[in-house]
Amino acid sequence: MAPRIQLEKAAWRWVDSVRPEDITQEHIDLAYRIAVSACKRGTCRRNCKGNPNCLVGIGEHLWLGEIDENTFHNIDDPNSERRDKNTFVGLTNLGATCYVNTFLQVWFHNLELRRMLYMCQNSRAEGHNIESDYEPRTICEHLQYLFALLQNSNRRYIDPSGLVKALGLDTGQQQDAQEFSKLFLSLLEDTLSKQKDPSLQNVIQQQFCGQFSYVTVCNQCSRSSALPSRFYELELNIQGHKNLTECITEFLKEEKLDGDNRYYCESCQSKQSATRRIKLHSLPPTLNLQLMRFVFDRQSGHKKKLNTFISFPEVLDMSPFLEAKDEKCTYELSAVLIHRGVSAYSGHYIAHVRDARTNDWYKFNDEEIEKMEGKKLQLGTEEDLAETVKSQTRKPKSSKGYHCSRNAYMLVYKLQMEEADQTQINVEVPAFLQRLVDQDNKKFEEWCSEMADMRKQSVDKGKAKHVEVKELYELLPAQDGEPYEFVPVEWLKEWLDDSTAIKAIDNSSFLCSHGKLHPDRVGDAKRISHTAAEILYGRYGGGPRIDRSFLCGDCVTQRCHVLRLKNQLNEDYREVTNLAKAQLKSGDPGFWVGKASLRQWRQLALEQLEEEEEETKHTNCKTNGEKTSSSSKGTEEIDVTVLVMVCPSEVWLDISLVYSFICFF
């Protein structure tokens, strides 16, 4: 279809040969482009705005043909929020709480810790009214409820905001993960120490606490002094090391104390050179090894991340590192905590955790949980995401039973259990907690049912709309000789756009000062059949309804008058310009005309024509028949100084023509 400007010119081409008083209905139909050919589907990439008969490209392609019912709604399948069979439950990331989620998943998979937490007294939960929501208060209560939901919830993931709020954590700011681990265990230890049951008071010590001592030997008198200490995790320096054994060896190596760092020997009663080393006496059932990836950089004054590759085994023999060499102490890798990213102040935390019941490995990434294939730990993907490091080093090959990572910052090892201890892997949720879980599951099922109903209603509504559009779209084109009406093209687009609410049809902005359809607004309207208009107005209401009787003959006559004057004005302007260039003969009388006026008379006349034409429009939210304000310039008069000079008579006649135009308007 021709561009809008070409259609506009074609609609008024007849004005050159037709006087205003000779206008017929045929000319009015031409002005409103009634007979312009309708576009066929596939011929227009977008709707022809200048053609009121073009009904292509207004959104009909979304409805014509077969449609997937999923397009009728924006509601996800509620079953996608349901926990899959034989999988674990994820945790919602509240903004920057992925580091919290990783530790919670690791601690949840510590079966002994979970069992002990379930045994903690919780009188509020035990006497809770099932009709009201349960709100935990203490850290212990929050962990109990959270672990029960992680174990038996029907949801694919749960919200840990209650616990995070109780801990006073800023959900928008990422904390030091290693520091959080130590502080949380300390807080939990303090909370459990207040339990009445003695077996629960030392749960944290029993699970995570080991014993070592700082042993210092004086070089002068050989006196040995030991300072016993407890630890909940071993902090291992990784800089300059390739594997976990090297890191542990350095942690236990002998340190020389000399110079300003000399040791005060009580036997010698003076500062003496000495040696100091750490001796491991006992290790806990759960051994947490912190790989010190985040260190202070003296040059920058900030923390930085060490992207050193460290190799670690699936089975770790700690016997060589204990003072009691004959004691068997073999650990199995239970969890690997990963920090993805090159900065110590940003990135993402995930956890790889082994299920103690099946020995399957799972990757916990907030809401998403992935089971590893073949009961094997797989860290490849996480390592690939660190390839933005400037000083890239090739990943070393790992022997069987070993893994290598430059993103692992914490390793969790569990003491190997005897066969007789395998019965400890089943942990049941207490009845008082299970009631709370059942209550939450009931709410979830109700939500799923509600979402499914809303989804079905949207699909049913969409199918009905599909049938409506297919039927009505075929009725929209107005046939030659048949009654027709005009409706806004924007309303038709909204009608075909199912995402917007359909309002009543509003044609008021199309009306001219005579209360009819203004010729200039026909490009914003579409001509449809009377049959289709009856259905649309019957279903959606609105008005005023614009049919053939609303084609404004007065506006067409006025436009014809203006266009003819403009054409004549252009011809007269060319003639006056040519005459003004003519050579004057001496002795002939004439007149002087100001240069500014001679340049502006045509523009002044055009402005007055446009002001007169503007009065017929219904614009700027004015009521029908109300005139728009006139130009602030006003009407300027030609500045003429009458002088006696030599001037051809033809110039006088044409200059008089200039006066006639100004006086006429």
Side-chain angles (χ1 to χ4, degrees), residues 266-286:
E266 293 184 358
S267 296
C268 299
Q269 291 294 305
S270 63
K271 283 190 174 183
Q272 299 291 337
S273 296
T275 58
R276 175 180 292 169
R277 61 184 292 263
I278 295 175
K279 291 185 178 182
L280 281 176
H281 301 295
S282 66
L283 296 173
T286 302

Side-chain angles (χ1 to χ4, degrees), residues 23-40:
I23 290 176
T24 65
Q25 185 63 44
E26 179 183 355
H27 300 121
I28 295 175
D29 288 348
L30 287 172
Y32 283 93
R33 307 166 213 178
I34 301 300
V36 176
S37 300
C39 301
K40 296 181 179 180

Side-chain angles (χ1 to χ4, degrees), residues 297-441:
D297 185 1
R298 295 181 180 274
Q299 292 183 345
S300 65
H302 299 286
K303 277 189 176 183
K304 69 175 183 179
K305 180 183 177 183
L306 300 177
N307 291 282
T308 306
F309 278 110
I310 294 295
S311 174
F312 51 90
E314 292 181 359
V315 178
L316 175 64
D317 184 8
M318 289 295 291
S319 302
F321 303 108
L322 288 171
E323 287 302 300
K325 302 298 183 182
D326 57 342
E327 183 179 342
K328 186 178 181 181
C329 194
T330 305
Y331 285 85
E332 292 180 318
L333 186 63
S334 175
V336 180
L337 279 70
I338 298 288
H339 172 265
R340 297 194 301 197
V342 296
S343 170
Y345 297 97
S346 62
H348 184 59
Y349 292 89
I350 64 172
H352 291 263
V353 184
R354 180 170 59 86
D355 181 9
R357 300 169 303 166
T358 64
N359 287 326
D360 290 320
W361 279 92
Y362 290 84
K363 180 169 73 173
F364 292 87
N365 184 6
D366 293 330
E367 297 92 343
E368 302 299 324
I369 299 174
E370 179 184 354
K371 182 181 179 181
M372 302 289 102
E373 296 181 0
K375 299 181 183 294
K376 293 182 180 179
L377 172 62
Q378 300 172 24
L379 299 175
T381 305
E382 281 64 51
E383 297 311 309
D384 294 341
L385 294 176
E387 289 300 324
T388 54
V389 185
K390 293 181 180 179
S391 56
Q392 297 180 9
T393 55
R394 182 173 296 181
K395 181 179 179 179
K397 292 184 178 180
S398 298
S399 304
K400 185 177 180 180
Y402 282 79
H403 299 278
C404 191
S405 172
R406 63 173 162 197
N407 285 322
Y409 71 93
M410 181 172 175
L411 305 175
V412 180
Y413 283 89
K414 294 286 292 182
L415 191 64
Q416 279 188 342
M417 299 190 324
E418 300 293 338
E419 292 296 327
D421 294 331
Q422 291 295 324
T423 56
Q424 300 297 315
I425 64 176
N426 294 319
V427 180
E428 298 294 333
V429 176
F432 73 93
L433 288 174
Q434 186 57 48
R435 286 198 303 271
L436 300 176
V437 174
D438 292 340
Q439 182 182 3
D440 184 74
N441 285 339

Side-chain angles (χ1 to χ4, degrees), residues 30-91:
L30 287 172
Y32 283 93
R33 307 166 213 178
I34 301 300
V36 176
S37 300
C39 301
K40 296 181 179 180
R41 289 191 64 201
T43 59
C44 298
R45 287 185 297 177
R46 56 179 179 269
N47 185 256
C48 301
K49 194 171 183 180
N51 182 3
N53 299 314
C54 179
L55 296 170
V56 178
I58 57 177
E60 76 288 347
H61 64 282
L62 299 173
W63 300 95
L64 304 181
E66 297 299 324
I67 300 181
D68 183 357
E69 67 176 33
N70 289 324
T71 61
F72 294 139
H73 62 81
N74 57 358
I75 303 173
D76 292 333
D77 183 0
N79 288 316
S80 65
E81 302 296 303
R82 189 182 300 280
R83 175 184 186 176
D84 293 333
K85 189 177 181 180
N86 297 325
T87 59
F88 291 103
V89 176
L91 291 165

Side-chain angles (χ1 to χ4, degrees), residues 601-653:
W601 71 270
R602 175 173 171 267
Q603 182 62 34
L604 292 173
L606 284 173
E607 287 179 1
Q608 286 194 289
L609 281 175
E610 291 171 357
E611 288 177 10
E612 182 177 321
E613 187 179 15
E614 188 69 21
E615 293 178 358
T616 66
K617 295 184 180 179
H618 175 214
T619 57
N620 297 329
C621 301
K622 297 186 178 299
T623 57
N624 295 341
E626 183 179 351
K627 296 183 180 181
T628 56
S629 60
S630 300
S631 171
S632 61
K633 286 186 177 181
T635 303
E636 297 182 19
E637 296 180 353
I638 294 180
D639 178 22
V640 180
T641 302
V642 181
L643 293 173
V644 177
M645 63 169 291
V646 179
C647 180
S649 59
E650 291 82 5
V651 175
W652 159 246
L653 292 176

